[in-house]
Amino acid sequence: MIKLKIKTGDIVRVIAGDHKGSEGKVLRVDREKNKAIVEGVNMVSKHTKPSAKSPQGGIVKKEAAIQISNISLIDPKTKETTRVGIRVEGDAKVRFSKKSNQVL
């Protein structure tokens, strides 16, 4: 498994693909498949059968996974995309923005 630099809860921007330029919060990260689910990005229509949970059934809009390489973290200070570095401060490893050199 690869160590990823994007975590759940990060605000990211899509940098490649059909949804280029879209921004959203990371809802889930799948380290095995190297994909992430971003809020409001890569929406797909899913057909659902009627069940106890949804008695009506029908078509539901839902976010689909997007490749990690197609998203970039947004620096909270500069509001621009940035690469992420990892350094040791004291006893803890911390992520930092390569643009502003600030801890994320």
Side-chain angles (χ1 to χ4, degrees):
M1 245 185 311
I2 305 164
K3 176 79 172 139
L4 300 176
K5 295 177 179 177
I6 290 178
K7 293 183 175 182
T8 304
D10 286 345
I11 305 296
V12 295
R13 182 177 296 144
V14 180
I15 56 171
D18 293 341
H19 304 280
K20 184 176 180 175
S22 304
E23 293 181 13
K25 188 171 151 188
V26 176
L27 300 175
R28 206 166 67 230
V29 176
D30 187 353
R31 290 173 59 192
E32 313 259 305
K33 294 180 183 168
N34 219 23
K35 292 186 176 217
I37 294 177
V38 182
E39 191 174 41
V41 176
N42 199 19
M43 298 296 279
V44 294
S45 299
K46 184 170 169 41
H47 296 263
T48 57
K49 288 174 82 171
S51 65
K53 192 175 178 183
S54 62
Q56 186 63 40
I59 301 168
V60 178
K61 287 277 192 184
K62 186 179 176 186
E63 290 101 351
I66 188 168
Q67 193 71 26
I68 290 279
S69 63
N70 292 342
I71 58 178
S72 182
L73 190 71
I74 294 178
D75 189 342
K77 185 179 179 187
T78 62
K79 305 292 183 215
E80 294 178 6
T81 58
T82 181
R83 290 182 300 152
V84 179
I86 297 172
R87 65 179 173 220
V88 177
E89 285 186 3
D91 295 338
K93 276 187 182 179
V94 294
R95 297 184 309 156
F96 69 96
S97 163
K98 296 251 184 157
K99 250 183 196 163
S100 65
N101 208 23
Q102 240 186 351
V103 175
L104 300 170

